[in-house]
Amino acid sequence: MLEKINAIKEEINAAVATNLQEVEELRIKYLSKKGSISQLMVDFRTVPAEMKRELGQKINELKNYATEKIASLKEGFATAADSDAEAIDLTRTATPYELGTRHPLSLVKNEMLRIFAGMGFTIAEGPEIEDDWHVFESLNFPPDHPARDMQDTFFISRDPKDILLRTHTSSVQTRVMEKTQPPIRIVCPGRVYRNEAISARAHCFFHQVEGLYIDKNVSFADLKQVLLGFARQMFGPETKIRLRPSYFPFTEPSAEMDISCDICGGKGCAFCKGTGWVEILGCGMVDPNVLDACGIDSKVYSGYAFGMGIERITNLKYKVKDLRMFSENDVRFLREFESAR
Ligand code: PHE
């Protein structure tokens, strides 16, 4: 019996395998119920009692040795699995992963920024949580001025009501003017907040792109030309614009701009309420008070500003009727913009 044990040990010692299948065959040969080591156990029963101790120990050692050897052979293949042609099929098609689509507001924002970049505007961004100075005071809204009610504000601090969610990205213009001397030519994209009930036509947050240009001898004609260029690139070369007098505390004179209705081509339809025009933005010449408040000499410099909602432009471009669609993230809606990616 001792000879048999030694012979099996030699065999195992010399055993090699070239793949996992062969390791398994070795396991069956030595360690399975019918394997040669199990057979030794059967023979062991008939061994004379005085030899049991020694032989039993040897058989156990052999069994442990075989188990370890097989485990180590197996490990070699597990770590080298990718060199094993049978374990990984490199010709299999990969699991596809789904590509997302850009949000329509991002698509339109990028398009707007691209157009303004082409006219020399750079991008400026600022915080959504602001203070009264940057959103109101510096922009010529004195305390208790009724124009503050034009924008229903979410206040963060109560007493005093100083910290708030910005109601327009004009606050970014203030921040840039405070730090930079003209010429300044920037567009400010970003999210803004107003305390309004949510409906198809209003939301408590939306997105804006506002523009600012300050230099010597900037005129209203410059403003009009830039806005006409923007409207034609955004809505097509036939687009007409119309400026109507309006009021904003930070611009004087102020105007609102309409474009000829994209849907009926200006003839009048339900979308433009029969007028042939739709409003898209507010604009004007920067009020000298604003320049002075931000440390820019209003006797030397002048400038214009404009601001528009990205949702509004997107509604016009893609005929989205309900503002809530933009924030619900319904993939059926978002997938409609796949081709615009
Ligand atoms: N800040 C204004 C708004 O949010 C838009 C605007 C910007 C108007 C610049 C005129 C000049 O409604």
Side-chain angles (χ1 to χ4, degrees):
M1 183 153 211
L2 203 54
E3 272 163 33
K4 234 190 202 169
I5 292 173
N6 285 335
I8 295 176
K9 190 160 183 186
E10 294 277 292
E11 249 180 69
I12 294 176
N13 189 24
V16 284
T18 57
N19 57 37
L20 278 172
Q21 177 72 29
E22 286 179 20
V23 179
E24 177 62 5
E25 278 162 15
L26 286 173
R27 190 194 66 78
I28 293 168
K29 185 167 172 198
Y30 297 107
L31 292 171
S32 69
K33 271 194 189 139
K34 291 196 176 133
S36 47
I37 296 177
S38 312
Q39 194 53 48
L40 284 176
M41 305 278 215
V42 177
D43 298 348
F44 179 72
R45 284 189 222 135
T46 60
V47 161
E50 68 273 16
M51 294 184 69
K52 275 209 155 126
R53 202 181 140 89
E54 192 199 339
L55 284 175
Q57 218 172 11
K58 290 258 187 252
I59 295 175
N60 263 336
E61 274 169 24
L62 178 65
K63 195 175 172 188
N64 288 343
Y65 179 68
T67 311
E68 267 168 36
K69 168 98 184 191
I70 284 168
S72 83
L73 283 174
K74 214 179 197 167
E75 217 166 78
F77 291 112
T79 52
D82 46 9
S83 68
D84 186 345
E86 283 170 352
I88 292 183
D89 178 0
L90 292 173
T91 64
R92 257 178 65 182
T93 321
T95 319
Y97 49 92
E98 233 178 294
L99 275 186
T101 61
R102 277 201 205 290
H103 192 281
L105 293 178
S106 295
L107 287 171
V108 170
K109 179 187 77 182
N110 291 345
E111 174 71 358
M112 292 166 76
L113 296 180
R114 189 190 63 74
I115 294 171
F116 285 116
M119 297 194 268
F121 287 82
T122 53
I123 297 170
E125 287 179 311
E128 293 180 12
I129 296 175
E130 267 292 6
D131 51 33
D132 184 274
W133 167 259
H134 289 96
V135 174
F136 293 126
E137 186 97 29
S138 65
L139 292 165
N140 205 27
F141 290 83
D144 302 322
H145 191 283
R148 288 186 180 225
D149 297 337
M150 282 165 70
Q151 303 183 347
D152 298 305
T153 310
F154 284 116
F155 290 96
I156 291 176
S157 67
R158 251 173 215 286
D159 203 14
K161 285 174 154 182
D162 185 38
I163 306 299
L164 44 90
L165 292 176
R166 67 180 179 193
T167 56
H168 52 185
T169 55
S170 304
S171 52
V172 183
Q173 306 183 356
T174 303
R175 286 184 177 274
V176 171
M177 284 190 279
E178 282 173 340
K179 282 206 289 285
T180 331
Q181 282 300 307
I184 295 172
R185 185 156 31 192
I186 51 165
V187 273
C188 313
R191 180 174 287 182
V192 301
Y193 300 83
R194 291 185 196 179
N195 190 358
E196 289 189 36
I198 297 172
S199 72
R201 305 179 56 97
H203 211 293
C204 60
F205 66 81
F206 61 99
H207 301 79
Q208 284 188 325
V209 169
E210 296 209 346
L212 174 73
Y213 178 40
I214 302 174
D215 205 344
K216 289 179 179 148
N217 302 318
V218 178
S219 74
F220 202 97
D222 298 326
L223 169 62
K224 191 175 172 191
Q225 194 60 26
V226 159
L227 295 179
L228 178 64
F230 166 75
R232 291 199 168 153
Q233 287 189 64
M234 195 75 205
F235 296 103
E238 305 301 318
T239 309
K240 293 189 197 58
I241 63 167
R242 168 173 96 168
L243 288 155
R244 285 178 286 102
S246 183
Y247 173 76
F248 300 102
F250 34 90
T251 46
E252 181 59 38
S254 305
E256 277 173 325
M257 186 175 98
D258 302 336
I259 57 166
S260 49
C261 179
D262 205 23
I263 295 176
C264 60
K267 284 190 209 71
C269 65
F271 190 79
C272 57
K273 299 194 193 81
T275 63
W277 297 96
V278 282
E279 185 204 318
I280 65 162
L281 59 81
C283 61
M285 300 307 291
V286 180
D287 193 301
N289 287 346
V290 174
L291 295 176
D292 291 333
C294 298
I296 292 175
D297 189 346
S298 61
K299 290 187 198 70
V300 181
Y301 295 105
S302 58
Y304 62 69
F306 55 85
M308 61 193 119
I310 303 178
E311 277 81 351
R312 179 108 187 109
I313 305 290
T314 310
N315 284 349
L316 285 169
K317 220 173 151 61
Y318 292 110
K319 324 284 183 271
V320 180
K321 291 209 179 65
D322 190 327
L323 262 185
R324 289 168 291 196
M325 306 286 275
F326 291 126
S327 49
E328 277 166 0
N329 283 333
D330 182 333
V331 290
R332 290 168 301 180
F333 170 69
L334 298 176
R335 283 223 178 91
E336 291 186 36
F337 299 88
E338 235 160 13
S339 59
R341 181 170 47 203

